[in-house]
Amino acid sequence: MATVKLLNCFVSPFGNRVKIALAKKGVEYEETAENMVAKGPLLLSSNPVHAKVPVLLVDGKPVCESLVILEFIDEAFAGTGAQLLPADAYARANARFWAAYVDTKMPECAGKIWKVPKGAPAVEEGKKEMVGVFKTLEGELGEKPYFGGDALGYADVALVTFVPWFLTYERLAGFSIAEECPTLTAWAARCAKENECVAKSLPDAEAVFQFVGGMRKHFGLE
């Protein structure tokens, strides 16, 4: 049995993707909390290129970047638990496309909301962009229960870890995601209600808001 360790920060949407995947597969692992301001030596040596979480260490060998790690987990632990990526080549490419869409769009518009002073013009811009991204995702979801079809899949895991941040976006930008995007809100609730691997892997939304508030004060944004 491989020794598995995850370097993570509890609020990280990217690191928490890995937690969901490991839980879905039933893989036992040790989680090490990283300070994202004063980064630890193991993180710096394991991911010298980006110096970011998550890093998955399997028998001491590092795998970096969350979507890469999800695919690694699917392959390395193929004999246990359900696969995140579908067997069909077209469906697999489609799942990768939407996961990449989330990675391209979400950090950019979210950063305009929480990484700038409250009331800055960028906040309104970020809010409008985020609602647009969510509506595009609602269009892809349609009437399916999950982006992956009938079961939680790769694209679902890529997006659902941003849900604990919704409260922070709403409070800082002054809007309601539930009102703007009811289909996506229902999907988020379904992910947690029907999938223990999601429910037990996501942080409390209020804890995320408090953490972000501390970061904003640290960087002089409050």
Side-chain angles (χ1 to χ4, degrees):
M1 181 68 71
T3 300
V4 182
K5 176 181 284 191
L6 172 63
L7 308 185
N8 190 26
C9 174
F10 85 99
V11 299
S12 171
F14 307 101
N16 291 332
R17 291 170 175 174
V18 181
K19 291 182 67 171
I20 292 173
L22 291 170
K24 187 174 175 64
K25 286 286 190 179
V27 177
E28 293 186 4
Y29 66 98
E30 174 190 345
E31 183 177 9
T32 298
E34 289 290 334
N35 183 324
M36 297 316 298
V37 176
K39 299 177 182 181
L42 182 57
L43 175 61
L44 294 174
S45 63
S46 300
N47 189 0
V49 176
H50 298 300
K52 293 180 180 179
V53 297
V55 176
L56 188 70
L57 293 156
V58 181
D59 290 335
K61 297 177 181 178
V63 185
C64 305
E65 297 296 310
S66 64
L67 295 181
V68 174
I69 296 172
L70 294 190
E71 295 206 36
F72 171 83
I73 290 170
D74 238 14
E75 295 174 13
F77 303 100
T80 177
Q83 295 293 96
L84 286 171
L85 281 163
D88 177 75
Y90 177 80
R92 198 161 58 244
N94 194 54
R96 288 182 175 127
F97 173 87
W98 287 107
Y101 177 82
V102 171
D103 264 12
T104 300
K105 298 294 185 178
M106 280 302 296
E108 181 179 352
C109 56
K112 291 178 180 179
I113 293 174
W114 77 270
K115 291 183 177 180
V116 300
K118 191 171 183 178
V123 176
E124 184 67 21
E125 182 182 344
K127 178 180 75 173
K128 290 179 180 178
E129 289 177 5
M130 182 173 287
V131 170
V133 168
F134 286 160
K135 289 190 178 297
T136 297
L137 288 164
E138 285 189 319
E140 167 59 19
L141 183 62
E143 297 183 359
K144 302 190 301 288
Y146 298 99
F147 288 95
D150 293 330
L152 186 84
Y154 185 75
D156 298 287
V157 174
L159 178 60
V160 76
T161 51
F162 285 93
V163 173
W165 283 73
F166 284 7
L167 180 67
T168 296
Y169 305 147
E170 290 174 330
R171 287 180 176 174
L172 292 177
F175 72 120
S176 168
I177 293 172
E179 290 179 6
E180 297 279 359
C181 307
T183 300
L184 195 73
T185 302
W187 162 86
R190 186 181 307 116
C191 285
K193 182 179 179 181
E194 298 181 356
N195 300 275
E196 184 183 3
C197 61
V198 173
K200 73 180 188 180
S201 299
L202 297 183
D204 176 70
E206 188 64 44
V208 172
F209 179 73
Q210 295 300 325
F211 179 91
V212 171
M215 290 287 287
R216 288 171 56 82
K217 287 178 182 177
H218 177 81
F219 289 109
L221 299 175
E222 289 287 358

